[in-house]
């Protein structure tokens, strides 16, 4: 039996956190909303079982990451952007924090999807290696190697950058 009210309460409470995670994975707020919606649909399907065994947030996070990885596996998207929306703020700003954040998001976007997922889950969601491996359905060694490769790539991207080193706290999510 489904407890609709409990699911709605869970979805409302976790939506913002899941959306931030999805944004870090894909770099687009609208697509992040779509990924969260798809993830919450997957949670809803399994809701009675999840409530009995706990771990609703962990399953929801895994569902969002899986939706992201599924989307990246598709050869092409059916959506075709027409033109830039003039009502949205541009990505350019002279503030150091904005520039640093944009550079980091660009660097994250350049990583392969699995490496990006490892970095986001390990360092932005603060999951352990074991939890990340369980969520991605791989070994801990794979998480460690993917994370190591991703961090090496990110460091090398910023070595030649005028931004230089990213200081902790310089980026606001």
């Amino acid at each position: 039996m489904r407890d609709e009210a409990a699911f709605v309460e869970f979805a409302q409470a976790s939506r913002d956190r899941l959306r931030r995670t999805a944004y870090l994975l894909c770099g687009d707020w609208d697509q992040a909303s779509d990924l969260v919606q798809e993830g919450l649909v997957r949670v809803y399907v399994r809701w009675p079982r999840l409530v009995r065994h706990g771990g609703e947030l962990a399953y929801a996070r895994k569902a969002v990451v899986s939706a992201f990885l599924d989307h990246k596996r598709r050869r092409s998207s059916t959506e075709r952007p027409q033109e830039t929306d003039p009502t949205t703020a541009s990505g350019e700003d002279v503030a150091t924090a904005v520039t640093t954040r944009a550079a980091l998001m660009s660097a994250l976007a350049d990583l392969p999807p699995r490496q990006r997922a490892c970095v986001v889950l390990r360092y932005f969601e603060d999951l352990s290696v074991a939890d990340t491996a369980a969520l991605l359905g791989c070994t801990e060694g794979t998480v460690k190697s993917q994370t190591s490769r991703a961090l090496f790539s990110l460091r090398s991207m910023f070595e030649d950058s005028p931004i230089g080193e990213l200081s902790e706290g310089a980026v606001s999510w």
Side-chain angles (χ1 to χ4, degrees), residues 25-167:
L25 291 169
C26 69
D28 178 84
W29 284 112
D30 293 327
Q31 185 181 4
S33 295
D34 292 344
L35 294 173
V36 170
Q37 182 175 353
E38 187 174 335
L40 287 174
V41 166
R42 294 177 186 188
V43 170
Y44 180 77
V45 170
R46 303 220 25 190
W47 185 252
R49 184 174 176 199
L50 290 173
V51 172
R52 282 194 305 269
H53 300 291
E56 299 90 347
L57 182 60
Y59 186 84
R61 188 182 299 118
K62 181 175 183 169
V64 168
V65 171
S66 294
F68 164 73
L69 293 173
D70 290 348
H71 178 74
K72 283 299 183 184
R73 285 187 197 110
R74 294 183 191 128
R75 292 196 183 265
S76 67
S77 175
T78 57
E79 295 181 16
R80 301 284 183 238
Q82 297 299 315
E83 58 185 60
T84 306
D85 183 2
T87 63
T88 60
S90 71
E92 293 203 38
D93 195 336
V94 295
T96 303
V98 173
T99 304
T100 303
R101 183 175 182 277
L104 179 58
M105 290 308 300
S106 175
L108 275 174
D110 289 342
L111 292 175
R114 281 289 233 199
Q115 289 181 13
R116 188 178 333 154
C118 286
V119 169
V120 168
L121 294 172
R122 289 280 295 124
Y123 297 104
F124 294 100
E125 281 294 319
D126 202 27
L127 295 182
S128 68
V129 171
D131 290 342
T132 302
L135 197 144
L136 293 175
C138 62
T139 66
E140 290 182 24
T142 299
V143 170
K144 291 176 184 178
S145 66
Q146 291 291 305
T147 303
S148 176
R149 288 183 189 131
L151 293 176
F152 178 80
S153 294
L154 289 171
R155 284 185 193 106
S156 65
M157 287 179 207
F158 286 105
E159 279 178 356
D160 300 330
S161 169
I163 294 172
E165 290 184 21
L166 289 174
S167 61

